[in-house]
């Protein structure tokens, strides 16, 4: 697989705020996973685990939603990453995506619009999937904001990406909860392809990292090309360390350093 290199841009914004999930009765927090140098504020906000460290090499605007947190990039008009804490209870609900429409996010500018995707031959690909947000009506609606969306090859969106989304829900039900971060990857610091008048960057690939932080902590990463070629899930497995080197994003910084170093160096789908 061709090595993907995330774009490098120069603007720095501080990472602030946190998102708290409803009904997280399925999670047993383990205090030993906290970084011993964390502040008491960080220690008290257990659902911040999924959020990466602040980005200093590209535009970043943090958007706090009911079901996820997004890091928005005004240059690409895509998220840098989207992170969420998926519990067993959040994998169920009666709020269906058939009632929702894709919507401009008025909190950001410039921004992608539905017209940018029209006749583009790319799907409006969810980062945090609608299927993870059926538990709450507002969460479902917010999952259709374009700041949670990237241009995605139809076959990838329909098959492999969707299959991994379902696998993550299975893991949340099996273990009680998992932390997830995903986002776009680009081959160069300038766009190889854009769509629409807004020139929304088309990613060359997508990453997803998943962590279990209760019980025996573990993590795994995945890397897909945005070309729709059929691949097995096993063939796209990567360690979190590999995804970090590729993207320049520091995942799960709130973990104790020893735990973080151990779980981010390993990637074995059979262990899940």
């Amino acid at each position: 697989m061709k090595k993907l290199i995330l774009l490098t841009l120069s603007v720095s914004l501080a990472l602030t705020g946190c998102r708290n999930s409803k009904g997280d009765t399925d999670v047993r927090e383990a205090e030993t996973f906290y970084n011993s140098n964390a502040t008491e504020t960080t220690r008290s906000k257990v659902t911040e685990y999924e959020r990466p460290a602040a980005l200093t090499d590209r535009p970043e605007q943090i958007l706090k939603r009911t079901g996820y947190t997004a890091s928005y990039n005004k240059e690409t008009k895509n998220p840098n990453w989207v992170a969420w804490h998926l519990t067993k209870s959040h994998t169920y609900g009666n709020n269906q995506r058939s009632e929702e429409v894709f919507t401009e996010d008025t909190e950001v500018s410039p921004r992608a619009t539905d017209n940018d995707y029209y006749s583009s031959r790319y799907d409006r690909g969810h980062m945090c999937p609608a299927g993870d947000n059926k538990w709450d009506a507002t969460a479902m609606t917010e999952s259709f904001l374009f700041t949670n969306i990237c241009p995605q090859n139809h076959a990838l969106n329909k098959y492999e990406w969707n299959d991994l989304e379902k696998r993550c829900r299975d893991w949340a039900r099996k273990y009680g909860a998992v932390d997830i971060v995903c986002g776009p990857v680009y081959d160069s610091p300038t766009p190889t392809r854009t769509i629409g008048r807004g020139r929304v960057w088309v990613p060359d690939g997508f990453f997803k990292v998943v962590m279990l932080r209760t019980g025996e902590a573990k993590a795994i990463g995945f890397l897909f090309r945005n070309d729709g070629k059929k691949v097995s899930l096993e063939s796209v497995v990567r360690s979190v360390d590999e995804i970090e080197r590729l993207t320049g994003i520091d995942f799960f910084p709130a973990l104790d350093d020893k735990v973080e170093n151990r779980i981010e160096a390993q990637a074995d789908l059979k262990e899940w």
Side-chain angles (χ1 to χ4, degrees), residues 1 4 78 121-123 125 127 150-157 161 184-187 192-193 195 201-207 223-229:
M1 178 181 290
L4 300 173
N78 290 320
R121 296 188 178 183
Y122 285 94
D123 284 6
M127 296 296 96
C150 289
Q152 195 167 53
N153 178 279
H154 173 70
L156 174 61
N157 186 30
W161 192 252
V185 181
Y186 305 93
D187 284 348
T192 56
R193 187 176 303 172
I195 60 170
W201 290 32
V202 177
D204 297 292
F206 292 93
F207 73 85
L223 182 65
F224 296 88
R225 293 294 294 183
N226 193 22
D227 56 15
K229 293 181 180 179

Side-chain angles (χ1 to χ4, degrees), residues 131-181:
D132 288 6
N133 289 280
K134 292 186 293 184
W135 56 279
D136 183 88
T138 300
M140 174 60 73
T141 298
E142 291 175 345
S143 75
F144 283 83
L145 290 168
F146 276 111
T147 43
N148 181 45
I149 303 298
C150 289
Q152 195 167 53
N153 178 279
H154 173 70
L156 174 61
N157 186 30
K158 184 177 181 180
Y159 297 110
E160 282 82 1
W161 192 252
N162 183 50
D163 289 345
L164 181 54
E165 290 172 345
K166 293 177 180 177
R167 186 74 67 97
C168 289
R169 286 191 283 274
D170 288 342
W171 290 334
R173 291 165 186 148
K174 177 180 179 179
Y175 297 112
V178 291
D179 294 301
I180 305 170
V181 188

Side-chain angles (χ1 to χ4, degrees), residues 10-166:
S10 60
V11 175
S12 171
L13 290 175
L15 184 61
T16 58
C18 83
R19 187 261 319 144
N20 193 15
S21 298
K22 290 182 180 180
D24 286 353
T25 58
D26 307 284
V27 184
R28 303 182 309 277
E29 299 300 340
E31 177 68 20
T32 57
F33 293 162
Y34 282 105
N35 188 314
S36 59
N37 295 321
T39 65
E40 289 303 316
T41 299
T42 300
R43 289 173 182 273
S44 68
K45 296 177 179 177
V46 296
T47 55
E48 284 194 9
Y49 267 123
E50 73 275 13
R51 290 183 52 179
L55 295 172
T56 60
D57 62 350
R58 72 208 73 170
E60 176 172 73
Q61 180 180 347
I62 298 301
L63 304 168
K64 295 174 288 182
R65 306 303 184 201
T66 304
Y68 63 88
T69 301
S71 163
Y72 179 68
N73 187 319
K74 65 181 180 181
E75 294 287 342
T76 65
K77 301 176 185 69
N78 290 320
N80 295 307
W81 52 257
V82 178
W84 65 105
H85 181 67
L86 181 63
T87 70
K88 179 179 179 179
S89 62
H90 285 182
T91 66
Y92 302 102
N94 297 321
N95 298 282
Q96 300 300 318
R97 64 171 292 163
S98 60
E99 302 174 358
E100 302 298 334
V101 295
F102 293 93
T103 308
E104 291 181 43
D105 192 334
T106 57
E107 289 189 33
V108 303
S109 181
R111 58 180 177 262
T113 71
D114 200 52
N115 286 336
D116 290 319
Y117 283 82
Y118 184 73
S119 297
S120 70
R121 296 188 178 183
Y122 285 94
D123 284 6
R124 299 157 179 82
H126 281 78
M127 296 296 96
C128 181
D132 288 6
N133 289 280
K134 292 186 293 184
W135 56 279
D136 183 88
T138 300
M140 174 60 73
T141 298
E142 291 175 345
S143 75
F144 283 83
L145 290 168
F146 276 111
T147 43
N148 181 45
I149 303 298
C150 289
Q152 195 167 53
N153 178 279
H154 173 70
L156 174 61
N157 186 30
K158 184 177 181 180
Y159 297 110
E160 282 82 1
W161 192 252
N162 183 50
D163 289 345
L164 181 54
E165 290 172 345
K166 293 177 180 177

Side-chain angles (χ1 to χ4, degrees), residues 164-267:
L164 181 54
E165 290 172 345
K166 293 177 180 177
R167 186 74 67 97
C168 289
R169 286 191 283 274
D170 288 342
W171 290 334
R173 291 165 186 148
K174 177 180 179 179
Y175 297 112
V178 291
D179 294 301
I180 305 170
V181 188
C182 70
V185 181
Y186 305 93
D187 284 348
S188 69
T190 57
T192 56
R193 187 176 303 172
T194 64
I195 60 170
R197 290 185 177 181
R199 294 184 57 80
V200 179
W201 290 32
V202 177
D204 297 292
F206 292 93
F207 73 85
K208 179 168 284 188
V209 294
V210 185
M211 177 182 67
L212 172 67
R213 56 177 154 95
T214 56
E216 184 65 27
K218 55 187 174 183
I220 192 169
F222 302 89
L223 182 65
F224 296 88
R225 293 294 294 183
N226 193 22
D227 56 15
K229 293 181 180 179
K230 187 173 180 59
V231 294
S232 67
L233 193 59
E234 291 78 8
S235 70
V236 297
V237 170
R238 301 290 185 273
S239 69
V240 175
D241 279 343
E242 289 179 276
I243 303 296
E244 286 186 331
R245 288 191 293 269
L246 174 69
T247 62
I249 299 173
D250 179 12
F251 300 107
F252 314 127
L255 281 177
D256 175 83
D257 289 342
K258 290 182 179 179
V259 175
E260 182 180 7
N261 291 338
R262 175 178 62 80
I263 69 174
E264 291 187 356
Q266 304 170 0

